[in-house]
Amino acid sequence: MSELKAELAAGPESRTALPSVVIRFAGDSGDGIQITGSRFTDTTALAGNDLATFPDFPAEIRAPVGTTFGVSAFQINFGARHIETHGDDPNVLVALNPAALKVNINRLKKGGSIIVDTGSFNSRNLKKAGYDENPLEDGSLSDYNILEVDISRHVLESVKDFGLSQKEGLRCKNFWVLGLVYWIYGRDRTDTVNWLKAKFAKRPEIAEANIAALNAGHVYGEAAELSDSIGLFSVAPAEMKKGLYRTVTGAEALAWGLVAGSELAGLDIFFGSYPITPASPILHSLAKLKQFGVQTFQAEDEIAAICSAIGASYAGALGITSSSGPGIALKGEAIGLAISTELPLVIVNSQRAGPSTGMPTKTEQSDLYQAVYGRNGDAPLAVVAAHGPGDCFEAAIEACRIATKYMTPVMLLTDGYIGNAAEPWLIPSMKDREPFKVTHETNPEDFHPFDRDEKTLARKWAIPGTPGLEHRIGGIEKEDGAGHISYDPANHQRMTDLRRDKILNIANDIPKAKPEQGPETGDLAVVGWGSTFGPISRAVANKLSENKSVAHIHIRHLWPFPANLEELLKGYKKVIVPEMNDGQLKTVLRDQYLLDAIPVTKVTGQPFKISEIEAAIDAALES
């Protein structure tokens, strides 16, 4: 019998059943908060709950210890029902030092619980955090339920037999508090123990010390009669579609989707990239997939990265590159080269807060203009966006399909929130997927490199070195069909029109837009894209339960738009567009359809809350 089952069998009546819980772990960047959150996430997934996470950490490599600049946090929403966001306001805040409390206290729901390490609330740390008085003593936390534990002292006591220094011993603090939270929510420690043994296989004393801390925190919870103070809780498994699940981040799912897309196209992958937050995990994930014909190349800069991918596509592979906004800007000229040469290329843009280097670890959706318009000349390409961690898999396959079918670069948009967040993912079967096999040109008779397919307007793809198909391509304008350099005015007009029409024609090859929920006509449409999917979906569901005439329309294909989008949107009296930028999709919709879309903007580096979308819906319906 598992530990959890034995515990519930011994006394489930002592636990309060909850439909869902939001916990936010917070501490200094050196406290291992992200590991704490990821271990709690995996254990929660094994318990059968649905979940969504939000890692929220600073960009500085190492801010001064104990300051508000160095606070790292990890929020998880888990429940017995379908979970669509990381949760608005936490029910529980775990604060491992005063700075973590100060940065996060205003997020906590009134009446929520706080677990604090009193051992870190000394005068030095309080001063670093900017407190004039100890908040644990001045009554400022009277709206909350506080569990004060000298975690630092307890963890040093629990690891004293392992010969660790005080500094090394305190590094186990995150596992002590994890053991305590496991006890509060009835979680099994087995998976975490196994993970520690594997993680520190070459340093077994470190593994054993962390396991001792984990167990000590759990035992503390058992002995401290928490049911009389902070409470003990249970969250039943969620009802989910049967199948094999695993926890997946957006970056992992996107990497696997690129591999699946290349398999469906019958091509090898060449991934040329340069490290940048938050796109780097895609490179890390793909580098582990060499068995699928994936070649990864860490270039010396962004320009070299994309040019190597273009070269790979010229040679017959599927060239892929990735970056974030500043890196995409550097790739701009080369993107134009891929458009001019009409080669397939997938460009992953993991958006973050800008401009320039902005806030590298904070999320935003402000590269839509860059994706749709951001090149010199009339240089159109297709733009696709993922809406969540698991959806990155599907969006990546779609980007590969469009790129190879239409011989064009495709911008695949994700963002820092999607890339770092995790959720349970039903591992899909590939056997029922429709392949989109690529056929390279081999017939030398009357071959011209810019001959086109009449339906897709895609040019022929001939691999260099194929006998009789010798040809050249480049960024200088070429003669229609022949590919020879041409400055003829009429030819340039014709080639510009062809490149435009080829991309616009994709609108006929993508699913028609339809409401995700709500009526096909009515008072209000809430239009979203990317990672706003979760909060919009929940907010619209809540308003539909109040009998409001509101619909949720999500746009995956951002350029070109679905062919029926204008007709669909004009069926509503009002359209609002929540997005984490200053109103970019709103502007594109107005530009294309002369639609008086109302912006609902947020540029804070933080995802939308459900309550914010609900307030925007109410305001739009009442105005």
Side-chain angles (χ1 to χ4, degrees):
M1 180 181 290
S2 73
E3 185 180 315
L4 174 59
K5 290 178 180 176
E7 177 186 303
L8 293 177
E13 69 283 356
S14 63
R15 294 182 176 274
T16 302
L18 297 175
S20 64
V21 180
V22 180
I23 300 178
R24 189 172 180 89
F25 298 94
D28 192 77
S29 291
D31 285 335
I33 292 299
Q34 300 307 315
I35 292 176
T36 306
S38 63
R39 296 321 313 155
F40 190 84
T41 297
D42 284 359
T43 302
T44 297
L46 289 171
N49 298 136
D50 197 3
L51 63 89
T53 69
F54 176 37
D56 190 9
F57 46 87
E60 290 89 338
I61 294 174
R62 195 65 185 94
V65 175
T67 65
T68 55
F69 310 108
V71 171
S72 177
F74 187 102
Q75 185 164 315
I76 177 171
N77 181 11
F78 59 99
R81 56 175 174 76
H82 181 49
I83 300 294
E84 294 183 283
T85 76
H86 64 281
D88 276 12
D89 303 317
N91 305 98
V92 180
L93 171 63
V94 178
L96 294 185
N97 65 10
L101 178 67
K102 183 156 191 167
V103 169
N104 291 285
I105 186 60
N106 290 332
R107 301 172 186 269
L108 188 62
K109 184 176 294 185
K110 296 296 182 187
S113 299
I114 306 171
I115 300 173
V116 292
D117 174 18
T118 57
S120 68
F121 277 65
N122 52 47
S123 58
R124 185 165 177 264
N125 285 342
L126 289 168
K127 184 178 180 181
K128 283 184 176 179
Y131 280 115
D132 296 326
E133 297 183 32
N134 189 338
L136 303 180
E137 299 172 351
D138 65 5
S140 61
L141 302 177
S142 58
D143 288 336
Y144 307 101
N145 185 23
I146 306 175
L147 178 62
E148 299 182 27
V149 187
D150 189 346
I151 297 173
S152 297
R153 180 175 66 82
H154 284 297
V155 74
L156 289 176
E157 180 70 21
S158 67
V159 301
K160 65 181 181 182
D161 294 334
F162 296 94
L164 304 180
S165 67
Q166 178 168 323
K167 184 177 180 180
E168 290 174 325
L170 287 175
R171 285 177 179 165
C172 302
K173 188 163 64 172
N174 59 331
F175 281 96
W176 194 98
V177 78
L178 187 60
L180 175 62
V181 177
Y182 278 179
W183 168 250
I184 293 172
Y185 291 96
R187 293 289 183 249
D188 193 327
R189 285 165 286 169
T190 305
D191 179 66
T192 300
V193 170
N194 292 336
W195 182 85
L196 281 166
K197 289 180 176 177
K199 177 73 174 177
F200 297 105
K202 295 181 179 178
R203 295 287 307 276
E205 73 280 9
I206 300 296
E208 292 303 321
N210 279 300
I211 292 169
L214 178 77
N215 291 334
H218 199 270
V219 169
Y220 179 90
E222 293 180 55
E225 298 184 352
L226 297 181
S227 58
D228 296 331
S229 54
I230 199 168
L232 299 177
F233 306 98
S234 64
V235 179
E239 290 189 10
M240 301 175 74
K241 187 177 179 181
K242 290 186 178 180
L244 181 61
Y245 284 81
R246 62 155 294 161
T247 304
V248 69
T249 66
E252 291 171 333
L254 196 148
W256 298 337
L258 292 173
V259 172
S262 69
E263 291 276 317
L264 293 169
L267 299 173
D268 289 336
I269 280 181
F270 178 91
F271 186 83
S273 189
Y274 180 73
I276 185 172
T277 300
S280 296
I282 299 169
L283 172 60
H284 303 160
S285 295
L286 282 170
K288 301 174 184 175
L289 301 174
K290 292 182 174 60
Q291 67 272 29
F292 296 106
V294 176
Q295 295 187 58
T296 53
F297 170 56
Q298 180 177 318
E300 69 268 31
D301 57 36
E302 298 284 4
I303 298 171
I306 186 172
C307 286
S308 67
I310 293 171
S313 288
Y314 183 44
L318 177 55
I320 303 172
T321 189
S322 75
S323 193
S324 189
I328 297 295
L330 291 169
K331 295 178 190 292
E333 182 183 357
I335 294 173
L337 173 64
I339 291 169
S340 180
T341 54
E342 301 187 49
L343 284 166
L345 180 71
V346 178
I347 308 152
V348 182
N349 184 347
S350 300
Q351 299 167 97
R352 67 188 204 187
S356 186
T357 42
M359 299 193 292
T361 57
K362 305 301 180 185
T363 195
E364 211 166 84
Q365 294 180 297
S366 52
D367 291 347
L368 183 61
Y369 286 162
Q370 186 183 40
V372 175
Y373 303 122
R375 290 159 295 281
N376 67 296
D378 290 295
L381 50 67
V383 182
V384 176
H387 70 60
D391 184 60
C392 284
F393 183 82
E394 303 296 339
I397 292 176
E398 176 67 350
C400 294
R401 183 188 74 85
I402 293 173
T404 51
K405 183 173 181 178
Y406 291 90
M407 294 289 283
T408 179
V410 177
M411 187 81 76
L412 172 54
L413 294 175
T414 175
D415 61 42
Y417 176 40
I418 294 175
N420 292 323
E423 64 183 18
W425 186 53
L426 177 60
I427 298 176
S429 170
M430 295 301 296
K431 65 180 181 181
D432 298 326
R433 301 268 178 166
E434 188 69 30
F436 41 88
K437 294 287 184 185
V438 168
T439 302
H440 292 116
E441 181 66 21
T442 56
N443 184 7
E445 187 173 352
D446 294 328
F447 168 75
H448 296 98
F450 285 85
D451 285 343
R452 298 178 185 281
D453 180 278
E454 292 183 359
K455 186 175 181 181
T456 65
L457 298 182
R459 76 171 182 89
K460 294 180 178 179
W461 190 2
I463 299 176
T466 305
L469 301 185
E470 295 83 0
H471 64 283
R472 65 176 180 180
I473 56 176
I476 297 179
E477 187 61 285
K478 69 279 302 171
E479 182 183 336
D480 182 19
H484 304 310
I485 291 174
S486 171
Y487 292 90
D488 177 66
N491 179 74
H492 181 54
Q493 180 73 54
R494 187 161 55 252
M495 290 297 288
T496 302
D497 293 348
L498 278 168
R499 290 188 287 261
R500 177 200 62 205
D501 292 345
K502 183 175 71 168
I503 299 302
L504 294 178
N505 185 41
I506 296 172
N508 299 312
D509 190 24
I510 58 179
K512 290 186 176 180
K514 63 179 182 180
E516 299 289 330
Q517 55 184 328
E520 293 191 356
T521 60
D523 291 341
L524 179 66
V526 185
V527 181
W529 66 281
S531 62
T532 56
F533 182 90
I536 292 177
S537 177
R538 179 62 67 183
V540 169
N542 292 342
K543 292 304 168 185
L544 286 170
S545 69
E546 297 173 7
N547 296 319
K548 301 287 179 64
S549 177
V550 57
H552 175 198
I553 296 172
H554 182 81
I555 305 177
R556 176 191 290 283
H557 298 85
L558 290 156
W559 196 265
F561 287 135
N564 70 325
L565 184 61
E566 179 179 10
E567 179 184 2
L568 177 65
L569 295 183
K570 289 187 174 177
Y572 299 91
K573 295 177 183 175
K574 292 182 180 177
V575 171
I576 63 172
V577 186
E579 49 186 334
M580 294 184 295
N581 57 45
D582 206 26
Q584 298 188 15
L585 177 60
K586 171 270 302 178
T587 302
V588 180
L589 290 173
R590 286 183 179 180
D591 167 45
Q592 292 298 302
Y593 304 140
L594 297 178
L595 183 74
D596 189 20
I598 302 168
V600 180
T601 63
K602 180 175 182 177
V603 191
T604 62
Q606 299 291 319
F608 270 105
K609 294 181 178 180
I610 299 167
S611 58
E612 292 170 332
I613 304 293
E614 289 182 321
I617 292 173
D618 289 339
L621 290 174
E622 293 168 5
S623 63

